[in-house]
Amino acid sequence: QVQLVESGGGLVQPGGSLRLSCTASRAILSTFIQYTMGWFRQAPGKQRELVATFTDGGGTNVADAVKGRFTISKNNSKKTVYLQMNSLQPEDTAVYYCRGTIGESHYWGQGTQVTVSS
């Protein structure tokens, strides 16, 4: 079973940038590349929502709220997925979660807090 560990969250001013990382431990490379990876977020009092994911076809699916500001990428050799977040706004404040999907199974990281505030 893969274990996902996020890092890179923190406090940033509006207009700033952060890069989140999600590393899959206890997974060999040949297994990791079978996972469909993505990022989700959950703000206080709100449901968890999709931010950006890779698709089965190798493309990406990015939420309208962050399109043009956030970019998902990955480095298979490092078994790591990234979320580059630019032009951050207070409404981006949330706990950000990494998710790996293989078949019908989903695996979640523990989450990393992102707070956008002046």
Side-chain angles (χ1 to χ4, degrees):
Q1 177 176 334
V2 68
Q3 183 178 19
L4 302 175
V5 180
E6 300 104 332
S7 62
L11 173 64
V12 64
Q13 292 186 342
S17 298
L18 284 175
R19 188 177 79 157
L20 306 182
S21 299
C22 170
T23 299
S25 63
R26 297 193 295 183
I28 59 176
L29 179 58
S30 61
T31 301
F32 174 74
I33 61 177
Q34 297 179 51
Y35 282 82
T36 300
M37 303 299 297
W39 288 96
F40 293 74
R41 68 185 182 186
Q42 187 166 16
K46 295 187 177 181
Q47 290 189 332
R48 193 171 297 187
E49 63 179 4
L50 179 148
V51 177
T53 67
F54 288 99
T55 64
D56 290 343
T60 60
N61 180 25
V62 182
D64 288 342
V66 304
K67 197 167 291 184
R69 301 188 296 123
F70 291 12
T71 303
I72 187 171
S73 63
K74 61 180 176 177
N75 184 324
N76 284 332
S77 65
K78 294 184 177 181
K79 296 179 290 181
T80 299
V81 178
Y82 304 98
L83 184 68
Q84 178 66 44
M85 306 185 295
N86 298 327
S87 301
L88 283 160
Q89 300 302 318
E91 54 264 34
D92 296 317
T93 295
V95 178
Y96 284 71
Y97 296 91
C98 175
R99 189 184 81 175
T101 298
I102 184 167
E104 295 183 357
S105 299
H106 302 297
Y107 300 92
W108 294 90
Q110 83 287 354
T112 185
Q113 176 71 46
V114 172
T115 302
V116 185
S117 175
S118 55

